[in-house]
């Protein structure tokens, strides 16, 4: 058996109406991906307008790319760094006092490589309060990052991460406890 992408079909996946997705596409390009827009307040307003649940004191830096804001929840005083990509094909919940550092990727989608049709797989991501996702790190579909856990720079979270633990590598493994003074 070989992969046959001519038979790929994800018509079952409809994350919002076509007009809503089209409108968001242009808003995302003009106000989020565009690095010339530094206004976090405007971005938070637009996210709420498109159905995100956003807490108070949230900071969204320039260059952020968000696939479907209506599938996004962010708690209070959370920072989303430059060029973060939230590829939320499924629900992404980010807690309060979380830092998602520059160029991190939150990926809710993957493909079933065991099927010749390469079927789309989507799973939620949950990042609990006080967690830190390091720069250029990747959080894979279905992962929960426990409260105050750290995913270090350039690491890949392929499985759930325990609370108050520092993870590093690809795939990320526990390297030590996180002690907060």
């Amino acid at each position: 058996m070989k992969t046959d992408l001519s038979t790929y079909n994800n018509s079952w996946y409809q994350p919002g109406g076509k007009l809503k997705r089209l409108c968001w596409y242009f808003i995302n390009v003009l106000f989020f991906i565009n690095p010339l827009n530094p206004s976090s307040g405007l971005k938070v307003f637009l996210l709420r307008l498109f159905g995100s649940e956003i807490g108070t004191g949230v900071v969204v830096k320039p260059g952020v790319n968000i696939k479907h804001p209506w599938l996004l929840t962010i708690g209070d005083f959370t920072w989303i760094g430059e060029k973060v990509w939230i590829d939320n094909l499924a629900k992404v919940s980010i807690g309060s006092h979380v830092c998602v550092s520059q160029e991190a990727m939150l990926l809710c989608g993957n493909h079933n490589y065991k099927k010749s049709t390469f079927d789309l797989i989507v799973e939620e991501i949950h990042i609990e309060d006080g967690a830190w996702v390091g720069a250029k790190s990747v959080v894979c579909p279905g992962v929960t990052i426990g409260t105050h856990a750290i995913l270090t720079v350039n690491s890949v979270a392929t499985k759930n991460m325990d609370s108050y633990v520092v993870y590093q590598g690809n795939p990320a493994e526990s390297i030590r406890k996180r002690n907060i003074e």
Side-chain angles (χ1 to χ4, degrees):
M1 184 75 60
K2 294 181 179 183
T3 302
D4 182 1
L5 295 180
S6 70
T7 61
Y8 178 77
N9 181 355
N10 70 342
S11 61
W12 60 270
Y13 181 72
Q14 297 295 323
K18 288 181 182 180
L19 182 58
K20 184 179 192 178
R21 287 183 289 166
L22 181 65
C23 289
W24 174 250
Y25 173 81
F26 288 106
I27 294 294
N28 193 35
V29 168
L30 292 172
F31 295 101
F32 286 81
I33 298 171
N34 180 352
L36 300 177
N37 177 25
S39 174
S40 183
L42 176 60
K43 292 174 199 166
V44 166
F45 170 78
L46 291 169
L47 286 170
R48 288 180 179 143
L49 186 67
F50 275 85
S52 292
E53 295 176 33
I54 308 290
T56 59
V58 170
V59 174
V60 181
K61 294 289 193 170
V64 172
N65 185 2
I66 299 170
K67 183 79 81 179
H68 303 303
W70 48 92
L71 297 175
L72 179 62
T73 301
I74 302 175
D76 299 330
F77 303 102
T78 287
W79 303 343
I80 308 297
E82 290 89 350
K83 297 183 183 179
V84 166
W85 182 11
I86 302 175
D87 192 25
N88 57 334
L89 300 175
K91 178 101 171 137
V92 169
S93 63
I94 302 172
S96 296
H97 305 279
V98 170
C99 179
V100 181
S101 293
Q102 57 273 25
E103 297 188 43
M105 298 175 69
L106 309 181
L107 303 176
C108 290
N110 205 344
H111 294 277
N112 188 343
Y113 65 88
K114 295 178 183 177
K115 291 194 166 193
S116 65
T117 52
F118 211 52
D119 296 350
L120 178 64
I121 301 168
V122 295
E123 294 182 70
E124 297 181 358
I125 289 174
H126 302 279
I127 302 174
E128 296 178 356
D129 295 348
W132 179 11
V133 177
K136 296 188 177 186
S137 291
V138 177
V139 180
C140 292
V143 169
T144 295
I145 297 178
T147 183
H148 295 86
I150 296 175
L151 181 63
T152 64
V153 171
N154 224 14
S155 294
V156 180
T158 59
K159 59 186 177 187
N160 292 344
M161 295 171 48
D162 293 330
S163 298
Y164 291 93
V165 176
V166 179
Y167 288 81
Q168 182 178 32
N170 181 7
E173 297 292 336
S174 166
I175 60 169
R176 70 177 146 287
K177 289 283 193 188
R178 179 184 186 186
N179 297 313
I180 301 175
E181 298 176 3

